[in-house]
Structures are given as C-alpha cells and as structure tokens.
Amino acid sequence: MLRVSSVNRTFGDRRVLDDISFEVAPGRMTGFVGANGAGKTTSMRIILGLLAADSGTVSWHGAPITRAVRQRFGYMPEERGLYPKMKVREQLTYLGRLYGLGAADARRSVDELLDRMGLTERADDLLETLSLGNQQRAQVAAALVHDPELLILDEPFSGLDPIAVDVVAGVLRERAADGVPVLFSSHQLDVVERLCDDLVIIAAGAVRATGSRTELRSRYAAARYELVVD
Ligand code: ATP
C-alpha cells in the first residue's frame, strides 16, 4: 500500500500542493485525475523522491521510501525516457539490466512485453521510426521491464488511439491483478472512469474526492464529477 499523507509543496510563493492525502491499494488501478496544472506530476515526483515535499510523508507498506525501495518501482515520466535513436529491444534490455536483471531474465521480460504490447515486429527498429502510439507503448513497456512492485504512470493514455488504449490498459490491468498497485494520471475523466478501480480527483493542488469508481459515481451522480474537477 502506498500512502501519501498531508503533502504540501510550494514553488516560490505559489502553493502547488495543499495538504494532499490519498492511498493506492494493491491490486487496484487508481486514476489520478485533474486538469492541466492541477498538481499530478508534482505529486508523482514527490512520491518517487525526485522532488522533496515541504511537509507531509509518503510511505510504502508503512515505512518511508528508501533508494533501494524506489529501485523496485516503475515510473513513466511525463517527459518520457527512451532515446529516439536507439532500437526498442536494445533500450528495454539495457533498462532491465540497469535495474539488476540478469541477461536471460532481461531478455525474457523484454520479449514478453514486446509481444503483449504488439511491438515484436518493430523490436529492432529505432524508436523514432515508430508511430507515436507505438512509441508510447514502448515507453510504458520501459516502466514495466523490471517487474516493479508499484507502478506510477504520468498520462500513459494521452495521444493513444482507442486500440492502443486497450492494449496498454490490458497490460496494466494484468499487473494490477498480480497485486501491483497502479497509479496513472490523466486529464481525461472519461478515460480514467473507464479504466480505473479507484479515483483520486485533484483540482488546484487539493484533493477534491477519493474513492472507488462506483462510490464516486453514485456520490456525484447528479453533479457529475466534471464539477469537482473544474
Ligand atoms: P500537467 O498535466 O499539465 O503536467 P499536472 O496536474 O501534472 O498538470 P503539475 O505539473 O504538477 O500539474 O504542475 C502543478 C503546478 O505547479 C503548475 O501550475 C505548474 O506550473 C507548477 N510547477 C510545476 N513544476 C514547477 C517548477 N519546477 N517551478 C515552478 N512551478 C512549477
């Protein structure tokens, strides 16, 4: 279980996160939804220790997150991480090795991911020669290659066509079914609503609502959550 408790962050005199608290449970896909600039990326970077909070805590199974623990997390950053001029399989294998997988395990994990993502035929092409949708599939694969214990993905579905959304969501859902907590951000409520089990709704740096999709649906049935998001 990932727990974010009362996290605050300012940039200059601007409060970007205001007492943020939420949980991401094992086996659940949690959608982190809010408009551009709401504070999703900042929250994710704080969870991953890439940015410090001014106050508040982030814990994993009840303990603070150390560097060794963080190595076992998977992260797809907003700015993406793969190199355009490297071959897809080569990069994913390199990443797997960087995360400590042996050569055979890295190869097995990468081959399986390429297959699940529908990228096997493009495996030996330079990333930049792939369509944007396929590049994004590869970027998601990069976050999964070391079989992470927690998955944090910044806008993994943005810009994907409906088929690619289903492919990527299917792979993430499998990981969730294996007990991995999955947190993914989106500014598209319809996408999140379709794909997640739980929601965290953030607006202007504050959490407006959390709960299961069914709970929130009934709670906000009349108002719709757009009102909460805006
Ligand atoms: P987006 O989808 O546009 O990235 P977001 O919900 O992820 O939106 P954040 O990227 O977390 O939002 O940004 C929250 C606010 O903090 C924004 O107003 C942004 O301009 C501001 N911000 C983020 N990083 C910095 C920084 N390094 N310095 C100053 N302001 C920042």
Side-chain angles (χ1 to χ4, degrees), residues 159-198:
L160 290 185
D161 63 67
I163 293 171
V165 168
D166 286 345
V167 169
V168 169
V171 174
L172 297 180
R173 185 154 288 289
E174 260 172 31
R175 299 293 169 121
D178 286 345
V180 173
V182 178
L183 176 70
F184 68 95
S185 70
S186 178
H187 57 275
Q188 298 165 279
L189 186 67
D190 55 332
V191 171
V192 175
E193 228 216 358
R194 192 159 65 80
L195 301 177
C196 73
D197 305 304
D198 296 327

Short mmCIF file of all heavy atoms in Angstrom, two decimals, residues 159-198:
data_model
loop_
_atom_site.label_atom_id
_atom_site.label_comp_id
_atom_site.label_asym_id
_atom_site.label_seq_id
_atom_site.Cartn_x
_atom_site.Cartn_y
_atom_site.Cartn_z
N GLY A 159 -2.91 10.77 -26.15
CA GLY A 159 -2.47 10.67 -27.53
C GLY A 159 -2.59 9.28 -28.13
O GLY A 159 -2.19 9.07 -29.27
N LEU A 160 -3.09 8.31 -27.38
CA LEU A 160 -3.22 6.95 -27.94
C LEU A 160 -4.57 6.78 -28.61
O LEU A 160 -5.58 7.30 -28.13
CB LEU A 160 -3.10 5.91 -26.82
CG LEU A 160 -1.74 5.71 -26.16
CD1 LEU A 160 -1.79 4.56 -25.18
CD2 LEU A 160 -0.66 5.44 -27.22
N ASP A 161 -4.58 6.00 -29.71
CA ASP A 161 -5.87 5.67 -30.34
C ASP A 161 -6.56 4.61 -29.47
O ASP A 161 -5.93 3.98 -28.62
CB ASP A 161 -5.65 5.20 -31.77
CG ASP A 161 -4.84 3.92 -31.82
OD1 ASP A 161 -5.34 2.88 -31.37
OD2 ASP A 161 -3.68 3.98 -32.28
N PRO A 162 -7.86 4.41 -29.68
CA PRO A 162 -8.62 3.51 -28.79
C PRO A 162 -8.05 2.09 -28.71
O PRO A 162 -8.08 1.47 -27.65
CB PRO A 162 -10.02 3.49 -29.41
CG PRO A 162 -10.10 4.77 -30.17
CD PRO A 162 -8.73 5.09 -30.64
N ILE A 163 -7.49 1.60 -29.81
CA ILE A 163 -6.94 0.24 -29.78
C ILE A 163 -5.71 0.20 -28.87
O ILE A 163 -5.56 -0.67 -28.03
CB ILE A 163 -6.58 -0.25 -31.21
CG1 ILE A 163 -7.88 -0.42 -32.00
CG2 ILE A 163 -5.79 -1.56 -31.17
CD1 ILE A 163 -7.69 -0.69 -33.47
N ALA A 164 -4.85 1.20 -29.03
CA ALA A 164 -3.65 1.26 -28.21
C ALA A 164 -4.01 1.45 -26.73
O ALA A 164 -3.37 0.88 -25.84
CB ALA A 164 -2.73 2.38 -28.68
N VAL A 165 -5.05 2.26 -26.46
CA VAL A 165 -5.50 2.44 -25.06
C VAL A 165 -5.85 1.08 -24.48
O VAL A 165 -5.44 0.74 -23.37
CB VAL A 165 -6.73 3.39 -24.98
CG1 VAL A 165 -7.37 3.33 -23.59
CG2 VAL A 165 -6.31 4.82 -25.29
N ASP A 166 -6.57 0.27 -25.23
CA ASP A 166 -6.98 -1.04 -24.72
C ASP A 166 -5.79 -1.97 -24.53
O ASP A 166 -5.75 -2.72 -23.55
CB ASP A 166 -8.01 -1.68 -25.67
CG ASP A 166 -9.37 -1.01 -25.52
OD1 ASP A 166 -9.57 -0.27 -24.53
OD2 ASP A 166 -10.24 -1.20 -26.39
N VAL A 167 -4.82 -1.91 -25.44
CA VAL A 167 -3.63 -2.76 -25.31
C VAL A 167 -2.87 -2.39 -24.04
O VAL A 167 -2.56 -3.24 -23.19
CB VAL A 167 -2.70 -2.63 -26.55
CG1 VAL A 167 -1.36 -3.29 -26.30
CG2 VAL A 167 -3.37 -3.21 -27.78
N VAL A 168 -2.60 -1.09 -23.88
CA VAL A 168 -1.83 -0.63 -22.72
C VAL A 168 -2.61 -0.89 -21.42
O VAL A 168 -2.06 -1.40 -20.45
CB VAL A 168 -1.48 0.87 -22.87
CG1 VAL A 168 -0.92 1.44 -21.58
CG2 VAL A 168 -0.49 1.07 -24.02
N ALA A 169 -3.90 -0.59 -21.44
CA ALA A 169 -4.71 -0.80 -20.23
C ALA A 169 -4.75 -2.29 -19.87
O ALA A 169 -4.68 -2.64 -18.69
CB ALA A 169 -6.13 -0.29 -20.45
N GLY A 170 -4.80 -3.16 -20.89
CA GLY A 170 -4.83 -4.60 -20.63
C GLY A 170 -3.56 -5.05 -19.92
O GLY A 170 -3.61 -5.83 -18.96
N VAL A 171 -2.42 -4.53 -20.36
CA VAL A 171 -1.15 -4.91 -19.75
C VAL A 171 -1.09 -4.39 -18.31
O VAL A 171 -0.68 -5.11 -17.38
CB VAL A 171 0.05 -4.37 -20.58
CG1 VAL A 171 1.36 -4.63 -19.88
CG2 VAL A 171 0.04 -5.00 -21.97
N LEU A 172 -1.53 -3.15 -18.09
CA LEU A 172 -1.51 -2.59 -16.73
C LEU A 172 -2.46 -3.36 -15.81
O LEU A 172 -2.15 -3.62 -14.65
CB LEU A 172 -1.89 -1.10 -16.76
CG LEU A 172 -0.95 -0.19 -17.55
CD1 LEU A 172 -1.45 1.25 -17.48
CD2 LEU A 172 0.48 -0.29 -17.00
N ARG A 173 -3.61 -3.71 -16.36
CA ARG A 173 -4.60 -4.42 -15.55
C ARG A 173 -4.06 -5.79 -15.11
O ARG A 173 -4.30 -6.23 -14.00
CB ARG A 173 -5.91 -4.56 -16.33
CG ARG A 173 -7.03 -5.17 -15.56
CD ARG A 173 -8.38 -4.76 -16.05
NE ARG A 173 -8.72 -3.37 -15.74
CZ ARG A 173 -8.99 -2.93 -14.52
NH1 ARG A 173 -8.92 -3.75 -13.48
NH2 ARG A 173 -9.30 -1.67 -14.31
N GLU A 174 -3.30 -6.44 -16.00
CA GLU A 174 -2.68 -7.72 -15.63
C GLU A 174 -1.74 -7.54 -14.44
O GLU A 174 -1.72 -8.35 -13.53
CB GLU A 174 -1.82 -8.23 -16.79
CG GLU A 174 -2.50 -9.29 -17.61
CD GLU A 174 -1.68 -9.61 -18.85
OE1 GLU A 174 -0.43 -9.51 -18.82
OE2 GLU A 174 -2.32 -9.94 -19.86
N ARG A 175 -0.95 -6.45 -14.50
CA ARG A 175 -0.03 -6.20 -13.37
C ARG A 175 -0.82 -5.95 -12.10
O ARG A 175 -0.47 -6.42 -11.03
CB ARG A 175 0.88 -5.00 -13.66
CG ARG A 175 1.76 -5.17 -14.88
CD ARG A 175 2.78 -6.27 -14.64
NE ARG A 175 3.47 -6.62 -15.87
CZ ARG A 175 4.79 -6.54 -16.03
NH1 ARG A 175 5.56 -6.14 -15.04
NH2 ARG A 175 5.34 -6.89 -17.16
N ALA A 176 -1.90 -5.18 -12.23
CA ALA A 176 -2.74 -4.90 -11.06
C ALA A 176 -3.31 -6.21 -10.51
O ALA A 176 -3.30 -6.44 -9.30
CB ALA A 176 -3.86 -3.94 -11.42
N ALA A 177 -3.75 -7.09 -11.41
CA ALA A 177 -4.32 -8.36 -10.97
C ALA A 177 -3.27 -9.21 -10.24
O ALA A 177 -3.62 -10.02 -9.38
CB ALA A 177 -4.88 -9.13 -12.17
N ASP A 178 -2.00 -8.99 -10.56
CA ASP A 178 -0.92 -9.70 -9.86
C ASP A 178 -0.63 -9.07 -8.50
O ASP A 178 0.31 -9.47 -7.82
CB ASP A 178 0.37 -9.67 -10.69
CG ASP A 178 0.30 -10.62 -11.87
OD1 ASP A 178 -0.60 -11.48 -11.88
OD2 ASP A 178 1.13 -10.49 -12.79
N GLY A 179 -1.37 -8.01 -8.13
CA GLY A 179 -1.20 -7.42 -6.80
C GLY A 179 -0.41 -6.12 -6.78
O GLY A 179 -0.12 -5.58 -5.72
N VAL A 180 -0.04 -5.62 -7.96
CA VAL A 180 0.76 -4.39 -8.02
C VAL A 180 -0.19 -3.18 -7.97
O VAL A 180 -1.13 -3.11 -8.76
CB VAL A 180 1.57 -4.35 -9.35
CG1 VAL A 180 2.28 -3.03 -9.54
CG2 VAL A 180 2.55 -5.51 -9.39
N PRO A 181 0.05 -2.24 -7.06
CA PRO A 181 -0.75 -1.01 -7.11
C PRO A 181 -0.35 -0.19 -8.33
O PRO A 181 0.83 -0.03 -8.62
CB PRO A 181 -0.36 -0.27 -5.82
CG PRO A 181 0.39 -1.24 -4.98
CD PRO A 181 1.01 -2.22 -5.93
N VAL A 182 -1.33 0.32 -9.06
CA VAL A 182 -1.06 1.10 -10.28
C VAL A 182 -1.70 2.48 -10.11
O VAL A 182 -2.90 2.57 -9.89
CB VAL A 182 -1.65 0.41 -11.53
CG1 VAL A 182 -1.41 1.26 -12.78
CG2 VAL A 182 -1.08 -1.00 -11.72
N LEU A 183 -0.88 3.52 -10.20
CA LEU A 183 -1.40 4.90 -10.17
C LEU A 183 -1.09 5.54 -11.52
O LEU A 183 0.06 5.58 -11.94
CB LEU A 183 -0.70 5.71 -9.07
CG LEU A 183 -1.08 7.19 -8.98
CD1 LEU A 183 -2.52 7.36 -8.48
CD2 LEU A 183 -0.12 7.96 -8.06
N PHE A 184 -2.13 5.99 -12.22
CA PHE A 184 -1.88 6.66 -13.50
C PHE A 184 -2.64 7.97 -13.55
O PHE A 184 -3.76 8.07 -13.08
CB PHE A 184 -2.25 5.76 -14.69
CG PHE A 184 -3.72 5.48 -14.85
CD1 PHE A 184 -4.49 6.26 -15.70
CD2 PHE A 184 -4.34 4.47 -14.14
CE1 PHE A 184 -5.85 6.02 -15.85
CE2 PHE A 184 -5.70 4.23 -14.28
CZ PHE A 184 -6.46 4.99 -15.13
N SER A 185 -1.99 8.98 -14.12
CA SER A 185 -2.64 10.28 -14.18
C SER A 185 -3.30 10.47 -15.54
O SER A 185 -2.91 9.85 -16.54
CB SER A 185 -1.63 11.40 -13.95
OG SER A 185 -0.75 11.50 -15.04
N SER A 186 -4.30 11.33 -15.55
CA SER A 186 -4.95 11.70 -16.80
C SER A 186 -5.75 12.97 -16.58
O SER A 186 -6.22 13.22 -15.47
CB SER A 186 -5.89 10.58 -17.26
OG SER A 186 -6.54 10.96 -18.45
N HIS A 187 -5.86 13.77 -17.64
CA HIS A 187 -6.76 14.91 -17.53
C HIS A 187 -8.09 14.59 -18.21
O HIS A 187 -8.97 15.43 -18.29
CB HIS A 187 -6.12 16.18 -18.10
CG HIS A 187 -5.70 16.03 -19.53
ND1 HIS A 187 -4.49 15.49 -19.89
CD2 HIS A 187 -6.34 16.32 -20.67
CE1 HIS A 187 -4.40 15.46 -21.20
NE2 HIS A 187 -5.52 15.96 -21.71
N GLN A 188 -8.20 13.32 -18.70
CA GLN A 188 -9.44 12.93 -19.39
C GLN A 188 -10.26 12.04 -18.46
O GLN A 188 -9.97 10.86 -18.29
CB GLN A 188 -9.10 12.15 -20.65
CG GLN A 188 -8.30 12.95 -21.65
CD GLN A 188 -7.69 12.03 -22.68
OE1 GLN A 188 -6.66 11.40 -22.46
NE2 GLN A 188 -8.34 11.91 -23.81
N LEU A 189 -11.29 12.63 -17.90
CA LEU A 189 -12.10 11.89 -16.93
C LEU A 189 -12.75 10.65 -17.54
O LEU A 189 -12.84 9.61 -16.91
CB LEU A 189 -13.18 12.81 -16.34
CG LEU A 189 -13.98 12.17 -15.22
CD1 LEU A 189 -13.12 11.94 -14.00
CD2 LEU A 189 -15.18 13.02 -14.87
N ASP A 190 -13.15 10.75 -18.82
CA ASP A 190 -13.82 9.60 -19.43
C ASP A 190 -12.89 8.40 -19.54
O ASP A 190 -13.29 7.26 -19.29
CB ASP A 190 -14.39 9.98 -20.81
CG ASP A 190 -13.32 10.57 -21.73
OD1 ASP A 190 -12.35 11.16 -21.21
OD2 ASP A 190 -13.45 10.44 -22.95
N VAL A 191 -11.60 8.66 -19.84
CA VAL A 191 -10.62 7.58 -19.94
C VAL A 191 -10.43 6.95 -18.56
O VAL A 191 -10.49 5.73 -18.39
CB VAL A 191 -9.26 8.11 -20.47
CG1 VAL A 191 -8.18 7.05 -20.38
CG2 VAL A 191 -9.42 8.60 -21.90
N VAL A 192 -10.22 7.79 -17.57
CA VAL A 192 -9.97 7.31 -16.22
C VAL A 192 -11.17 6.51 -15.72
O VAL A 192 -11.04 5.41 -15.18
CB VAL A 192 -9.70 8.49 -15.26
CG1 VAL A 192 -9.58 8.00 -13.83
CG2 VAL A 192 -8.44 9.20 -15.67
N GLU A 193 -12.34 7.06 -15.96
CA GLU A 193 -13.55 6.42 -15.46
C GLU A 193 -13.73 5.03 -16.03
O GLU A 193 -14.22 4.13 -15.38
CB GLU A 193 -14.76 7.29 -15.82
CG GLU A 193 -15.65 7.52 -14.65
CD GLU A 193 -17.10 7.57 -15.04
OE1 GLU A 193 -17.42 7.47 -16.23
OE2 GLU A 193 -17.91 7.70 -14.12
N ARG A 194 -13.32 4.86 -17.28
CA ARG A 194 -13.48 3.57 -17.93
C ARG A 194 -12.44 2.55 -17.43
O ARG A 194 -12.70 1.36 -17.38
CB ARG A 194 -13.33 3.77 -19.44
CG ARG A 194 -13.74 2.59 -20.28
CD ARG A 194 -14.05 3.02 -21.69
NE ARG A 194 -12.90 3.53 -22.41
CZ ARG A 194 -11.97 2.76 -22.99
NH1 ARG A 194 -12.05 1.46 -22.90
NH2 ARG A 194 -10.96 3.31 -23.63
N LEU A 195 -11.25 3.04 -17.07
CA LEU A 195 -10.15 2.11 -16.85
C LEU A 195 -9.78 1.86 -15.40
O LEU A 195 -9.05 0.92 -15.10
CB LEU A 195 -8.90 2.60 -17.59
CG LEU A 195 -9.07 2.77 -19.11
CD1 LEU A 195 -7.81 3.34 -19.71
CD2 LEU A 195 -9.43 1.44 -19.75
N CYS A 196 -10.24 2.72 -14.47
CA CYS A 196 -9.71 2.57 -13.12
C CYS A 196 -10.70 1.88 -12.18
O CYS A 196 -11.88 1.75 -12.47
CB CYS A 196 -9.34 3.93 -12.55
SG CYS A 196 -10.77 4.89 -12.15
N ASP A 197 -10.16 1.42 -11.05
CA ASP A 197 -11.00 0.89 -9.98
C ASP A 197 -11.28 2.01 -8.98
O ASP A 197 -12.38 2.14 -8.47
CB ASP A 197 -10.27 -0.24 -9.24
CG ASP A 197 -9.83 -1.33 -10.19
OD1 ASP A 197 -10.69 -1.87 -10.90
OD2 ASP A 197 -8.62 -1.63 -10.25
N ASP A 198 -10.23 2.78 -8.67
CA ASP A 198 -10.34 3.88 -7.70
C ASP A 198 -9.96 5.18 -8.37
O ASP A 198 -9.21 5.20 -9.35
CB ASP A 198 -9.38 3.64 -6.52
CG ASP A 198 -9.74 2.40 -5.73
OD1 ASP A 198 -10.95 2.08 -5.62
OD2 ASP A 198 -8.82 1.75 -5.22
#
